[in-house]
Amino acid sequence: MSNLIIRKVAVLGAGVMGAQIAAHLINAKVPVLLFDLPAKEGPKNGIALKAIENLKKLSPAPFGVKEDAQYIEPANYEDDLAKLAECDLVIEAIAERMDWKHDLYKNVSPHIGANAIFASNTSGLSITTLSEGFADELKARFCGVHFFNPPRYMHLVELIPTAHTRPEILDQLETFLTSVVGKGVVRAKDTPNFIANRVGIFSILAVVAEAAKFGLRFDEVDDLTGARLGRAKSATFRTADVVGLDTMAHVIKTMQDNLADDPFFPVYETPAVLAGLVQAGALGQKTGAGFYKKEGKTIKVLDPKTGTYVESGAKADELIGRILKRPPAERLKLLRESEHPQAQFLWAIFRDVFHYIGVHLESIADNARDVDLAIRWGFGWNEGPFEGWQAAGWKQVAEWVREDIAAGKALSKAPLPSWVLEGPVAEQGGVHTNEGSWSPASKTFAPRSTLSVYGKQVFRAPIIGETVDPKRYGKTLFETDAVRAWVDDRAGEDDVVIVSFKSKMNTMGPSVIDGLVQAIELAEKSYKGVVVWQPTSLKLGTPGGPFSAGANLEEAMPAFMMGGAKGIEPFVKKFQQGMLRVKYASVPVVSAVSGIALGGGCELVLHSAKRVAHVESYIGLVEVGVGLVPAGGGLKEAAVRAAEAAGAVGLTSEILKFVVKSFENAAMAKVSGSALEARSMGYLKASDTIVFNVFELLDTAKKEARALSAAGYRPPLSATQIPVAGRSGISTIKAQLVNMRDGGFISAHDFLIASRIAEAVCGGDVEAGSLVDEEWLLALERRAFVDLLGTQKTQERIMGMLQTGKPVRN
């Protein structure tokens, strides 16, 4: 395959999707031209400029760092079409109107470079029909590339070829989207709404139909179909409100217009309640009302019988809640046999989706894996529908579905295909095996893609039915209750020790520190380095994290109960010494970060020789939330780095300037909104690596450890002469804190905690410019931590956090 380097991308259309696709490309350091119509008043690029400005205000944020909006270059179709020749990829993202798209294509196609890929971000229109009228040469470079909203956060991109698209074009684009943009690519057939929207919207329509049949409220349905089923917390109707009811109605209409021969066609009728809301202009979150409406602080839900909004809060029955916690096979059996309307509803929506994907797999996708990954990554389900079916017992569930079809209970009379009930799938107990996932067209279990980009993924996205378990993979060097140290035992890959934590949220107590130190000692004898990597980064429907939620407070509680605040000091000292062992190991220790790295997790990151972070990494020192100060060396590292930064520019007499940002980060418990922001906050260095695909995190971290080793890695020399800001720096910071306290912005206890942070980062009660060592700074941290732990208000904060998971402000 020839090497495609995307040097610049043009996005046609500065609407919601186009602008956000442009933003995420900028996150990935890909230069972007954002096109729209010429403005009728003001600057010609006014529409694109306004869209770029609006991106800065959106939540969730499209940019990893808001200031990067400056790198999107605005353009218009009247003056700037010649610039398309500079672009290696052109993505059209205008409104879902075939005629509008064709008009635009006529305008832009003469200007597209001879080797550029042209793609439409349509959510469901026919790619083949879109390409009509193109010259054959452009047809061969045209395809669909469907991002999901919001593009930065949704892992899925569907890639849709026409019969004319050259295979190498698809391979090149999949490689770019996977590694550079960080997406999970699923290849879909050119059928209406492709895979994710086809199955996902059917699932929502089935929920609407079955909820009406069993007389359930919208909020009741959302409690039943969200986190309890391992799906997005926004469940069904809240999700519809977020997406926009007009958008949803449009996607449904695409199915109505193009699937007249589908045996489920009657289900595609726009639900009356949805049509009524759209007609009334109640389009969901963007208009302030849809299925839900917020009045003051009260969330109300639509009562479809009266058309009015009533207070929400209907929940799953306790019995149903217990059933949903049972193993998959038992859960489905109990739901099917129960006469409770909520149970009957849940069985019905499972059955409807199983029936639908069984009937439609061959027409919409190459294999069952693509359906499951599309739904997981596009709709936030923890497991795809085929995975759920297989986990619950393939043959038995298939028989139940067949019985319901025969009894007229299903949404269609279409029979299940023969491959569901007999042959290899029935014999193997499902569609997913170690050989691959079932492809009805080829009547084989199709293996994973062999594109070279996937060689960077030690673990591919996991699928139920495959036996590759990241927690058991490779050769175990040693394992305790707290950690597993192992190597990737493939040839040429077994020279780096990988440490994975086993604690809840990968928190760190004495046993984790012991395991980490043991792994470092082992690596120093026989290996090139250590990588700290957590298999949980691959676990959920949408991948990522946690790296570590910090110190394990629960593990420290017995010491506190026996010895009070002073009893915790050995725990804190052990943590500090563990972090120094990481920093001064004679082999490089590389932290492979994804998701949250908070408190002690952040301190481990700071002490590592290098950091490899997934772009969605949320890093910060957050101890003030439990009334404490960072005491695992995080504040010490802030002082050391400030001294280094001041020394590098000859300003050691003005160290306070270099300390202030780190003080604010810790005192305000600031957490980065991305790895890109973590770099600007100082938690990552400019030399650290940011990866966009979480499945490449481990491989990249191992390569970085090897590269450091090959370059003759030596740990830093122990810092014994660190100039600090001293008591004058503390006084300057405290003066600002007094104003905040007296103005009512922070409490007296907040003032106390922030003052102790200031003392630690400024080096304590010494003259400005005094030279101290790391042990001095660690002692300041430790003393502040123990002193605060002895206060009633900090103890209240800790208990509040342990009981509710939320910070207490006192």
Side-chain angles (χ1 to χ4, degrees), residues 165-471:
T165 311
R166 288 206 310 267
E168 64 267 27
I169 291 289
L170 297 170
D171 291 349
Q172 290 169 341
L173 197 48
E174 182 166 351
T175 297
F176 170 75
L177 290 167
T178 299
S179 198
V180 177
V181 190
K183 296 304 173 188
V185 175
V186 167
R187 295 201 186 185
K189 295 187 178 180
D190 188 13
T191 54
N193 291 340
F194 314 128
I195 297 175
N197 276 343
R198 179 76 175 270
V199 176
I201 294 297
F202 170 81
S203 171
I204 291 171
L205 290 170
V207 166
V208 174
E210 302 292 1
K213 187 187 299 181
F214 293 102
L216 305 186
R217 289 169 43 135
F218 298 138
D219 50 346
E220 187 179 5
V221 167
D222 276 355
D223 190 56
L224 287 163
T225 60
R228 293 179 190 273
L229 297 188
R231 299 180 186 176
K233 285 182 184 176
S234 53
T236 304
F237 296 106
R238 280 189 194 281
T239 297
D241 274 359
V242 171
V243 168
L245 303 191
D246 52 341
T247 302
M248 190 173 160
H250 176 82
V251 177
I252 294 168
K253 189 170 188 309
T254 301
M255 296 164 93
Q256 293 167 5
D257 292 347
N258 296 283
L259 294 170
D261 297 332
D262 190 315
F264 289 86
F265 183 74
V267 184
Y268 304 151
E269 183 180 348
T270 306
V273 63
L274 177 63
L277 287 167
V278 172
Q279 192 172 359
L283 306 180
Q285 190 169 278
K286 59 190 170 187
T287 60
F291 288 106
Y292 292 88
K293 183 180 183 181
K294 192 171 184 181
E295 293 183 2
K297 292 188 176 179
T298 305
I299 304 287
K300 293 193 169 183
V301 65
L302 182 68
D303 179 346
K305 292 173 187 171
T306 64
T308 59
Y309 288 90
V310 297
E311 286 206 26
S312 66
K315 299 274 185 188
D317 187 280
E318 193 178 329
L319 167 68
I320 306 304
R322 289 201 300 270
I323 290 175
L324 291 176
K325 291 178 180 176
R326 307 303 299 164
E330 186 182 348
R331 180 175 64 206
L332 278 191
K333 183 175 187 293
L334 290 170
L335 290 174
R336 187 169 188 267
E337 291 174 353
S338 171
E339 293 185 4
H340 194 295
Q342 290 183 353
Q344 287 290 294
F345 160 76
L346 286 167
W347 159 250
I349 65 170
F350 279 119
R351 175 204 63 220
D352 294 341
V353 172
F354 296 157
H355 185 193
Y356 191 79
I357 58 176
V359 168
H360 284 301
L361 172 59
E362 184 167 0
S363 66
I364 65 172
D366 176 64
N367 60 73
R369 177 179 54 250
D370 289 345
V371 172
D372 279 345
L373 293 179
I375 291 297
R376 275 167 44 181
W377 294 340
F379 279 78
W381 295 18
N382 283 359
E383 62 180 34
F386 278 118
E387 290 181 288
W389 184 347
Q390 185 160 333
W394 183 269
K395 286 184 180 178
Q396 179 61 79
V397 172
E399 192 53 47
W400 287 337
V401 174
R402 181 161 70 170
E403 287 174 16
D404 275 16
I405 296 168
K409 295 179 180 178
L411 294 178
S412 167
K413 295 177 182 177
L416 288 170
S418 58
W419 64 260
V420 170
L421 301 154
E422 55 196 40
V425 171
E427 290 160 13
Q428 294 276 0
V431 290
H432 301 306
T433 68
N434 286 332
E435 290 74 48
S437 296
W438 183 250
S439 171
S442 65
K443 297 182 171 55
T444 59
F445 292 98
R448 301 263 186 157
S449 167
T450 56
L451 275 180
S452 59
V453 69
Y454 295 113
K456 293 192 271 187
Q457 299 187 9
V458 180
F459 303 102
R460 305 286 283 273
I463 288 280
I464 288 173
E466 293 181 354
T467 57
V468 179
D469 180 0
K471 294 182 179 178

Side-chain angles (χ1 to χ4, degrees), residues 430-681:
V431 290
H432 301 306
T433 68
N434 286 332
E435 290 74 48
S437 296
W438 183 250
S439 171
S442 65
K443 297 182 171 55
T444 59
F445 292 98
R448 301 263 186 157
S449 167
T450 56
L451 275 180
S452 59
V453 69
Y454 295 113
K456 293 192 271 187
Q457 299 187 9
V458 180
F459 303 102
R460 305 286 283 273
I463 288 280
I464 288 173
E466 293 181 354
T467 57
V468 179
D469 180 0
K471 294 182 179 178
R472 298 264 60 87
Y473 178 84
K475 176 185 172 186
T476 300
L477 302 177
F478 70 86
E479 188 165 10
T480 69
D481 290 341
V483 304
R484 177 182 179 233
W486 56 284
V487 291
D488 183 340
D489 55 357
R490 295 174 297 165
E493 295 288 336
D494 59 355
D495 53 355
V496 174
V497 178
I498 302 160
V499 182
S500 301
F501 302 167
K502 296 165 66 178
S503 50
K504 184 179 179 182
M505 298 290 285
N506 299 320
T507 52
M508 292 184 285
S511 50
V512 168
I513 297 297
D514 287 341
L516 184 55
V517 170
Q518 186 181 343
I520 290 169
E521 290 170 350
L522 188 62
E524 287 174 333
K525 291 175 186 170
S526 310
Y527 297 90
K528 291 181 178 176
V530 174
V531 166
V532 183
W533 174 84
Q534 315 298 7
T536 47
S537 62
L538 310 178
K539 193 175 178 183
L540 299 176
T542 301
F547 175 73
S548 174
N552 189 333
L553 288 177
E554 290 186 57
E555 201 171 330
M557 287 309 285
F560 176 71
M561 299 303 288
M562 290 178 65
K566 276 285 182 189
I568 294 288
E569 191 160 4
F571 172 90
V572 179
K573 191 161 190 177
K574 182 177 190 120
F575 200 106
Q576 291 179 336
Q577 294 307 309
M579 295 302 100
L580 289 179
R581 190 70 180 88
V582 167
K583 183 174 182 177
Y584 295 112
S586 58
V587 295
V589 178
V590 177
S591 284
V593 188
S594 72
I596 57 171
L598 304 179
C602 176
E603 287 169 317
L604 173 55
V605 168
L606 290 171
H607 285 87
S608 299
K610 187 156 192 180
R611 290 138 291 274
V612 176
H614 179 231
V615 67
E616 298 305 333
S617 293
Y618 312 112
I619 304 172
L621 297 170
V622 296
E623 284 80 356
V624 296
V626 286
L628 295 168
V629 300
L635 301 181
K636 178 263 299 178
E637 278 300 296
V640 170
R641 291 184 180 193
E644 289 172 350
V649 291
L651 291 174
T652 48
S653 60
E654 299 179 43
I655 286 176
L656 183 60
K657 287 182 181 178
F658 299 87
V659 166
V660 168
K661 183 163 73 171
S662 294
F663 164 77
E664 289 177 352
N665 288 342
M668 298 172 69
K670 287 184 179 178
V671 177
S672 71
S674 67
L676 301 167
E677 190 177 22
R679 183 180 275 163
S680 67
M681 291 171 71

Side-chain angles (χ1 to χ4, degrees), residues 761-800:
V761 295
C762 291
D765 188 15
V766 296
E767 289 291 332
S770 294
L771 301 177
V772 301
D773 61 15
E774 285 185 287
E775 286 298 339
W776 172 272
L777 294 168
L778 289 171
L780 289 172
E781 281 187 2
R782 203 162 56 241
R783 196 177 312 130
F785 187 95
V786 171
D787 289 350
L788 287 166
L789 188 57
T791 67
Q792 182 181 340
K793 288 194 179 295
T794 283
Q795 290 168 24
E796 288 170 1
R797 290 192 182 191
I798 292 171
M799 292 310 297

